[in-house]
Structures are given as C-alpha cells and as structure tokens.
C-alpha cells in the first residue's frame, strides 16, 4: 500500500494541499504514530520506488533523435521556468525527498521494536533515495534548496538555496551511509531494492557530473570490486521485456503490465507495417557515430560503404537500428522509395510497404527505425511494454571508471580493460581475445577520452544517458546547434539519389574529433534535406531554469539568463 497523500515541497503545491509539508497520510494513520513498526516503515520505503520519482532524461533532447520535424524545449532553446517538465521534475523530486525525510525523521518511533541493524538499514535506504533525488536536482538545476527536515509552510519560506559544493557533501554522506548499511544483494525470493553497489554507482555518476574525478573513480572501482555485477551476455536481449533482473542492472525498477507500470509511447517507435507510426527515429548523427568493425570511424575505415551503411559496423549499430532488408516485427524493413511491397513473415506473402514514404508520407523521415529493446511484445497490450527500467547498469560503471581515470591522468591498463570489456561484449567475445574485436590499445589521454565518448554513445543510445553526457562534456552547444537531416521527398529522392545509384547515403559524412558527423556536403549538393533545426543557448542551457512558481512565490534566485 502506498501513501495516498505525500510530502510536497513546492510552495504552490503546498498552498493547494492543506498548507503543510507534514501531511497525514489518510490510509496510513496519524503522522505522529506512523513508521512505528517494520511493516509501516517498509510501506513508506516502498513509496520511494514509485516510477514517477525516477524520471530519466529523454533522448529527444539530444542529437541521437529525430521526431519528424518536431523539436523540444531543449532542442529548440525555448526551455524556461514555465516549461512543463521543468516544474514537474522539481515538484516530484522534492516530493520524494520529503517522503525520505519523513521516514528518517520518524524512525526513532520504532526503536523499541526494531534492532539497531534494522534501523540502520531502513535509514540507509531512505538516504540512498534522498541522495539520488538531490543528485538529479543538483545536476539539472544547480542552484537548489537543501533540507533534511519535514517543514511547514512558514519554515519552507525561510529556506534559501544552498551552495552546490555543500549539497554535494550531503549527497556523498547519504551515499556513504547507504554503502555501509545496505546489503550487497538480495535473495531470490526478496523484493529487489537499493543495494550498496547501487549507492556506489550512483555516487560515481553524480561525482562524474560534478567533475570530481577522484570520487567517481573510487566509487566506480568499489562497485566493480564487489564482484556482484557482470555484463549481460547478449547486448541486444538485455533491453527486452522478457529479460528481468539482469546481473548487469546495478539499480533499476521493475515494470509490470498487470500493475499498470509500463513503458508507454511504444507505437511511435514501431514500424508502420507492424501497426505503429514509425515517427520517432534514430538520427543520422547517431547512425554515423557507430564505428566500423576495424575500430575506425566511417570516414576513416576502408570497410565502410555508404551504399550499404550497415555492413562492417560495430554490432551495436544493428542491435540499435533496424538494418535494411532484414525482418523486423514480422515484415522485411526497407524504406527505399521503389520498394512498394515487402515480405510478411506470417503468411509468406508480399504486402504493401507502409514503411516507405512513397506510400506513407509520414513513414520515417530519415529511413531509420529503432530496434533496441523493441520486439513483438510492443505490439500487444494496447501498445504498452514492460522491460525493466534500468537506472544504471554495470557497463556505465566500467566506462565511468575509465573516464575518471583518464581525467586524473591515470590512463593505465585498467582503463583499457574497462573499455574493452564493454566493447568485447558487443562482439560476443572475451575481452582478452583481442584478435576477435577492435580492442582499445591507445595510451594517450586525448585518444582515450575520444574513445570513451564514442563508446558511451554506441553503448547507451536510447537509454537516457546522452543528454547529461553532452551537458557535462560541454558539447551540447556544438552538437545541438545543428540541422537534423532526413531523406528528400520521394520523387526528388528517386531522381537525385536512387536512380544515380547513391542510395542510401550519397556520400560519407566527415566525423570530427568529438564524433560528430558533418552532412553539409550532401545538403549543399541537394541530396538530403533539413527536417528540423536544433538550437541550444550556451549562455543558459547548461542548467535548467528554476520553476517560475518557485522564483515568484518562494523568492528563489533564478539561474542566469532565464
């Protein structure tokens, strides 16, 4: 059972909810007596794992994504204090923090019925959640309010924003308590909750975002040294609904169609032949970022053929993006303008090809379709699916460790091993079998930095990781002030690309040192078209604005240039 009325920090929300941060949960009894037993505390802690409290950055905010000609407040540089998700993230995050503070503040009620070990474990779990929530606020808003207390309106109004370095100290202290007091793992019959390893991994993540390289290195290494987690054997199957509780998941939440906790918006990612809309697609920028099997970018590798751009690529390319002329969701996928019929697996017949814009003008605007995590389950249950919600996984721990070491000037063999473990898994071989995949051998810090950034992009596409990578690398201004390109309209495509034999790419785009593709030559030649124009305001967008309601009602200072 979850609490039906919960703690709300936002002043406007407070005014609409009986005027108190310490509301009595009607279904749980009085707030003066609640959390007096293990059962009540567990119920309160369960509420901290509510899906709404674990929001993730959208790939639509990055250069990995194309949604027809649409842009977002982030990629259109229109984000402000009244943008819907800016206010919602702030409010919901402080709700979770309020709940965690309530648990911590009330644990002394159970001292007579619980052992010190139980109390420390419950406190550690609440502190883990609080640290994760404050980490999100710190990385996105920067200038935030920090409190460990349950407050009424008058007390809340007196709070001012806390120095970022001070907030980070509190976050580290909470994670350290969780590391010390949470279990390494749970039994097969136990509900999977936060672990000491999850606290280590999430500590490494916020440390990396704050450029505290030493803390990031040490926390990631501690997680690795637990020997609890390992890379999932098959990269492609890791993200499917049938894969539950993978040993690679360091921290995640289960989804369940039966419990109505699902992945939504599936129809936008499914091909039109299979009944979807094919509207949300991988960008050409992402497609061109995948290395070739010789470990070289597409503009350097002799094995890359722009006419057959899926061949000889890192296996994560075709695990992430549907390869042309392959079967996907029961149909051959082929966006070629002259392919008017395709093979349907179920009855072995040729059917109308709704995935070419020659027939369906709203088919994928750039010819690409997401494959990562998408399977036949997405076609069922009213377009909802139930893959695990992976918040952080072991591959991220390995690459965070490698990145932190490089930034510290410690580019030793352990860095190369960490990267190679992730890369070799994609090839289905042991990382020590360096002849079977393009193993990383570089020792130069600049080369390793470039490798890690490209590796992260190939590894974590469509997982909500790219946005904060661009922000913390200060690459968002460069990557997001670019055109988002797609296919010419069908008749122009035939005349200028397919009939001259230039399908799929008319030429190979140049890839710069940051792994970003340059399509300007093809665009200037009239062989591709601009679908959308991204914009990113570097004078302000490396932080989100504070919600306008908080600035107006609570007197908080707005972030610069909003």
């Amino acid at each position: 059972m979850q609490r039906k009325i919960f703690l709300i920090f936002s002043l406007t929300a407070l005014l609409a909810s009986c005027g108190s941060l310490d509301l009595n949960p009607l279904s749980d009894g009085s707030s003066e007596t609640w959390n007096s037993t293990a059962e009540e505390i567990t119920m309160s802690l369960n509420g901290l794992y509510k899906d709404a409290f674990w929001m993730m950055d959208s790939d639509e905010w990055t250069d990995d994504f194309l949604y027809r000609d649409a842009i977002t407040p982030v990629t259109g540089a229109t984000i402000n204090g009244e943008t819907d998700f800016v206010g919602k993230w702030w409010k919901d995050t402080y709700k979770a923090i309020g709940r965690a503070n309530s648990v911590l503040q009330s644990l002394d009620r159970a001292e007579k019925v619980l052992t010190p070990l139980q109390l420390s474990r419950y406190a550690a779990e609440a502190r883990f959640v609080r640290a994760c929530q404050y980490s999100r606020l710190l990385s996105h808003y920067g200038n935030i309010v920090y409190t460990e207390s349950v407050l009424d309106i008058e007390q809340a109004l007196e709070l001012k924003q806390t120095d970022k370095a001070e907030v980070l100290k509190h976050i580290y202290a909470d994670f350290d308590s969780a590391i010390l007091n949470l279990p390494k793992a749970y039994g097969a019959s136990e509900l999977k909750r936060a672990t000491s390893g999850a606290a280590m991994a999430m500590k490494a993540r916020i440390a990396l975002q704050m450029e505290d390289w030493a803390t990031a290195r040490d926390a990631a290494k501690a997680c690795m040294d637990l020997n609890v987690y390992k890379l999932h054997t098959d990269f492609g199957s890791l993200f499917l609904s049938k894969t539950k509780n993978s040993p690679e998941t360091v921290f995640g939440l289960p989804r369940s169609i039966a419990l109505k906790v699902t992945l939504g918006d599936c129809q936008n990612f499914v091909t039109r032949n299979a009944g979807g809309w094919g509207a949300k697609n991988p960008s050409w920028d992402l497609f061109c970022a995948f290395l070739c099997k010789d470990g070289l970018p597409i503009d350097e590798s002799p094995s890359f053929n722009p006419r057959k751009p899926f061949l000889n690529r890192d296996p994560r390319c075709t695990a992430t993006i549907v390869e042309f002329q392959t079967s996907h969701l029961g149909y051959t996928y082929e966006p070629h303008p002259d392919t008017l019929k395709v093979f349907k697996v179920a009855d072995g017949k040729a059917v109308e090809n709704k995935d070419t814009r020659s027939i369906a003008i709203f088919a994928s605007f750039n010819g690409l379709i997401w494959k990562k995590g998408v399977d036949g389950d997405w076609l069922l249950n009213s377009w909802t699916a139930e893959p695990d919600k992976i918040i952080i996984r072991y591959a991220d721990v390995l690459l965070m460790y490698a990145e932190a070491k490089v930034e510290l000037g410690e580019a030793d063999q352990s860095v190369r091993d960490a990267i190679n473990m992730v890369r070799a898994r994609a090839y289905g071989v042991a990382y020590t079998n360096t002849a079977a995949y393009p193993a990383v051998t570089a020792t130069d810090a600049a080369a390793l930095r470039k490798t890690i950034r490209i590796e992260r992009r190939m590894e974590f596409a469509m997982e909500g990781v790219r946005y904060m990578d661009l922000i913390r690398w200060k690459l968002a201004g460069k990557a997001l002030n670019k055109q988002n390109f797609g296919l010419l309209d069908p008749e122009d495509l035939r005349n200028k690309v397919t009939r001259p034999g230039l399908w799929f790419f008319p030429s190979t785009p140049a890839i710069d040192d940051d792994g970003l593709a340059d399509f300007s030559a093809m665009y200037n030649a009239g062989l591709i078209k601009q679908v959308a124009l991204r914009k990113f305001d570097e004078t302000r967008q490396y932080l989100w604005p504070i919600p306008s309601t908080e600035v107006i009602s609570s007197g908080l200072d707005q972030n610069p240039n909003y």
Side-chain angles (χ1 to χ4, degrees), residues 18-315:
C18 308
S20 173
L21 278 167
D22 190 9
L23 300 178
N24 291 342
L26 301 182
S27 63
D28 296 345
S30 168
S31 62
E32 285 77 25
T33 61
W34 187 252
N35 288 335
S36 299
T37 68
E39 291 76 15
E40 291 174 351
I41 295 169
T42 299
M43 289 164 63
S44 295
L45 290 172
N46 287 347
L48 298 177
Y49 294 98
K50 183 179 178 181
D51 182 73
F53 294 154
W54 297 93
M55 55 284 283
M56 298 175 70
D57 294 309
S58 173
D59 284 82
E60 293 188 49
W61 303 337
T62 77
D63 55 345
D64 281 359
F65 213 90
L66 175 73
Y67 182 15
R68 294 177 177 161
D69 56 357
I71 55 174
T72 69
V74 173
T75 54
T78 59
I79 186 171
N80 58 48
E82 297 184 13
T83 300
D84 55 357
F85 58 78
V86 168
K88 181 172 176 54
W89 279 38
W90 178 278
K91 182 181 71 174
D92 286 350
T93 302
Y94 274 115
K95 283 180 185 178
I97 290 168
R99 288 190 179 194
N101 285 342
S102 179
V103 170
L104 290 164
Q105 203 163 299
S106 63
L107 280 177
D108 57 352
R109 298 172 191 160
E111 286 182 344
K112 293 182 180 180
V113 296
L114 299 180
T115 66
L117 183 62
Q118 286 176 305
L119 287 170
S120 63
R121 176 168 162 178
Y122 289 142
E125 196 167 351
R127 293 185 75 175
F128 167 81
V129 173
R130 184 170 69 184
C132 290
Q133 302 295 322
Y134 273 125
S135 293
R136 183 188 308 114
L137 290 172
L138 186 63
S139 61
H140 286 69
Y141 300 90
N143 195 16
I144 65 172
V145 173
Y146 184 88
T147 180
E148 296 180 355
S149 302
V150 178
L151 307 172
D152 59 28
I153 288 180
E154 289 72 23
Q155 292 169 319
L157 284 171
E158 295 176 359
L159 292 178
K160 300 299 179 185
Q161 285 139 307
T162 308
D163 179 73
K164 291 172 65 174
E166 187 66 22
V167 174
L168 190 59
K169 288 180 183 178
H170 288 295
I171 290 171
Y172 286 167
D174 275 350
F175 278 136
D176 288 342
S177 175
I179 291 167
L180 184 64
N181 294 293
L182 289 178
K184 289 171 57 176
Y186 293 91
S189 62
E190 292 182 280
L191 183 67
K192 303 298 186 292
R193 312 170 74 91
T195 61
S196 57
M200 294 168 185
M202 296 301 284
K203 182 181 180 182
R205 174 174 282 178
I206 185 60
L208 205 72
Q209 290 170 344
M210 296 295 109
E211 298 185 349
D212 181 359
W213 312 118
T215 299
R217 172 201 61 196
D218 294 345
K221 186 62 164 63
C223 185
M224 293 158 62
D225 289 345
L226 288 174
N227 293 317
V228 169
Y229 310 102
K230 61 181 181 180
L231 296 174
H232 197 82
T233 304
D234 177 66
F235 176 80
S237 67
L238 172 59
F239 311 99
L240 300 179
S241 295
K242 66 183 180 182
T243 301
K244 304 297 184 185
N245 297 316
S246 168
E248 185 166 346
T249 301
V250 180
F251 181 64
L253 302 176
R255 289 190 176 103
S256 167
I257 291 173
L259 298 177
K260 298 182 179 180
V261 180
T262 60
L263 176 69
D265 197 29
C266 293
Q267 205 162 1
N268 268 316
F269 295 86
V270 169
T271 52
R272 299 180 75 88
N273 284 332
W277 298 324
K280 295 187 174 182
N281 317 117
S283 66
W284 283 356
D285 306 74
L286 171 63
F287 185 39
C288 292
F290 287 94
L291 301 176
C292 293
K293 288 185 176 180
D294 53 13
L296 296 174
I298 61 174
D299 64 337
E300 296 180 23
S301 175
S303 68
F304 179 72
N305 181 353
R307 311 292 173 259
K308 298 180 179 180
F310 287 94
L311 297 182
N312 303 314
R313 305 292 293 280
D314 183 292

Side-chain angles (χ1 to χ4, degrees), residues 381-400:
N381 302 300
S382 301
W383 297 103
T384 57
E386 54 180 12
D388 283 353
K389 184 175 186 175
I390 302 174
I391 309 271
I392 194 164
R393 57 186 178 91
Y394 190 54
D396 205 350
V397 174
L398 292 169
L399 293 180
M400 288 193 297

Side-chain angles (χ1 to χ4, degrees), residues 396-412:
D396 205 350
V397 174
L398 292 169
L399 293 180
M400 288 193 297
Y401 170 77
E403 183 175 345
K405 290 269 288 182
V406 168
E407 297 303 333
L408 287 166
E410 302 173 357
D412 56 21

Side-chain angles (χ1 to χ4, degrees), residues 330-341:
Y331 297 83
T332 300
Y333 182 71
E334 177 55 82
H336 193 289
D338 294 332
T339 304
L340 305 184
K341 290 186 177 294

